[in-house]
Amino acid sequence: MATDIQYKKTVNRLQKSLFDSIRVGDRTGSNSVIDEALRYNIRPTDIYTLIIGKTLSDIGELWHKGQITVAHEHLSSQLASNLIEIVLQKSPKLSSNGLRAVVTTPVGERHWVAAQMFANLLILGGWEVAYLGTETPGADLAEYVKSTKTDVVALSIILSSNLDQAIDCVHSLKDLEESPVICVGGPVIKENDENFSDVFVVRDPVSAIDHIEKQMGLAPGRVSLQEMLNSIGEKVQEIRKSKGLNQESLAKLAGVDRAYVSLVENGKQNLTMAALFNLSSALGVTISTLIQTSTDKE
Ligand code: B12
């Protein structure tokens, strides 16, 4: 199982490769970096924030220092947008939670990357999401939310000059008879801003989703089938190695093929109850040890 250190090293390496590819506008190269990240089971949130987001900030620094033109920056942003969608298409999604969200930015805010990422993270979490792109006026946003019976609205604000328009959105939404849960995020927002009272003001997308889901009464720590299979595979491999067994010997003890053990360890085998029972007995642990996910432990 990848340790935290290995995981972080892989994330840093992939971020550097992505920067090198995106900087020269290499679409194929940047797609392969994201494919590799998915193969290494890097979490979508980390691919978004630590790999793609960090790369765009680094590209932004070059632009800021006048080392690249805005044309280069635009190309980087377009490539990033494509990668954000690839992660969405290729990652396991939770089953529908029956809730609707809208994600957008207020008028004046043309930075869309964070909003697109947040929209996709909600989709992966089982939400039905309308991502409206940028610059939705408050009154129109409220009208849309009312007509679609939207449960949650998330706004991304990157420039402080757009705070007034964000406040306008919040007021329009709060004036609705059935006002949605509102969440605003971005680098310039302040938790104690009285204009955002009764609004979730959260910078980190993962805590934002946790907050929203708690507010909506959803059970914490839901995982997809694929995440569960990956977690079982990692657990089996970790315990097997700690007992000094190779895949062959574990297979013999559990009465299965070596190839089966390999598939299980790579999260590629949808296990039956009998297989789980045999593997856990061969490893000398209970079934619940194997099926406990990292979220259960937190
Ligand atoms: C790309 C980019 C652009 C592109 C935007 C297109 C696009 N791709 O979205 C373009 C060229 C259009 C642009 C224009 C401008 N930009 Co610009 N841009 C950037 C750049 C390089 C990357 C932004 C980005 O996508 N970052 C990656 C994302 C993932 O990070 P993030 O936005 O910070 O979001 C994270 C958190 O803040 C949070 N978050 C954000 N929103 C939300 C929402 C929710 C609900 C939650 C929970 C969390 C959350 O989660 C994200 C993940 O961790 C940044 C540089 C940088 N260091 O970020 C400058 C930057 C943001 N831009 C800046 C500026 C000044 C401008 C311009 C005013 C420049 C100009 N003179 O014209 C214009 C303004 C345009 C406008 N009206 O909006 C400044 C902002 C400084 C400030 N705070 O005031 C920055 C920081 C560059 C700099 N160092 O000066 N920009």
Side-chain angles (χ1 to χ4, degrees), residues 150-193:
T150 292
D151 303 285
V152 170
V153 175
L155 292 172
S156 171
I157 313 150
I158 310 300
L159 303 175
S160 45
S161 52
N162 294 326
L163 279 167
D164 283 350
Q165 284 292 334
I167 292 164
D168 177 59
C169 287
V170 169
H171 285 163
S172 304
L173 293 168
K174 281 193 179 171
D175 283 348
L176 288 173
E177 211 170 296
E178 284 182 56
S179 154
V181 167
I182 310 167
C183 169
V184 299
V188 293
I189 47 151
K190 291 194 183 65
E191 280 178 34
N192 53 6
D193 188 328

Side-chain angles (χ1 to χ4, degrees), residues 18-187:
L18 185 64
F19 176 78
D20 291 341
S21 297
I22 281 204
R23 189 186 174 172
V24 294
D26 176 2
R27 177 182 286 264
T28 314
S30 55
N31 287 359
S32 334
V33 175
I34 295 308
D35 280 340
E36 196 180 340
L38 292 166
R39 266 202 313 281
Y40 275 103
N41 288 328
I42 306 298
R43 289 181 285 272
T45 346
D46 292 339
I47 301 182
Y48 282 168
T49 56
L50 304 178
I51 300 182
I52 303 175
K54 169 80 169 65
T55 297
L56 276 185
S57 300
D58 291 352
I59 297 278
E61 284 311 305
L62 296 183
W63 168 43
H64 204 55
K65 288 184 201 152
Q67 291 178 4
I68 57 169
T69 64
V70 81
H72 286 96
E73 177 287 318
H74 277 13
L75 177 58
S76 306
S77 294
Q78 289 305 326
L79 289 174
S81 176
N82 181 44
L83 300 176
I84 293 168
E85 290 311 302
I86 290 178
V87 174
L88 174 66
Q89 282 156 19
K90 297 193 174 173
S91 299
K93 293 167 197 64
L94 293 186
S95 51
S96 168
N97 62 19
L99 296 169
R100 284 172 191 269
V102 164
V103 182
T104 188
T105 74
V107 168
E109 187 58 76
R110 286 173 25 222
H111 294 92
W112 41 258
V113 171
Q116 186 190 1
M117 286 179 176
F118 193 67
N120 286 5
L121 288 174
L122 286 171
I123 296 173
L124 290 173
W127 288 74
E128 190 181 318
V129 180
Y131 168 54
L132 306 185
T134 58
E135 303 202 70
T136 310
D140 294 336
L141 179 60
E143 188 55 43
Y144 181 84
V145 165
K146 186 178 166 194
S147 64
T148 52
K149 298 196 183 327
T150 292
D151 303 285
V152 170
V153 175
L155 292 172
S156 171
I157 313 150
I158 310 300
L159 303 175
S160 45
S161 52
N162 294 326
L163 279 167
D164 283 350
Q165 284 292 334
I167 292 164
D168 177 59
C169 287
V170 169
H171 285 163
S172 304
L173 293 168
K174 281 193 179 171
D175 283 348
L176 288 173
E177 211 170 296
E178 284 182 56
S179 154
V181 167
I182 310 167
C183 169
V184 299

Side-chain angles (χ1 to χ4, degrees), residues 260-275:
Y260 188 88
V261 173
S262 170
L263 286 173
V264 169
E265 290 189 355
N266 287 305
K268 303 224 156 46
Q269 182 64 46
N270 193 352
L271 290 124
T272 61
M273 201 62 197

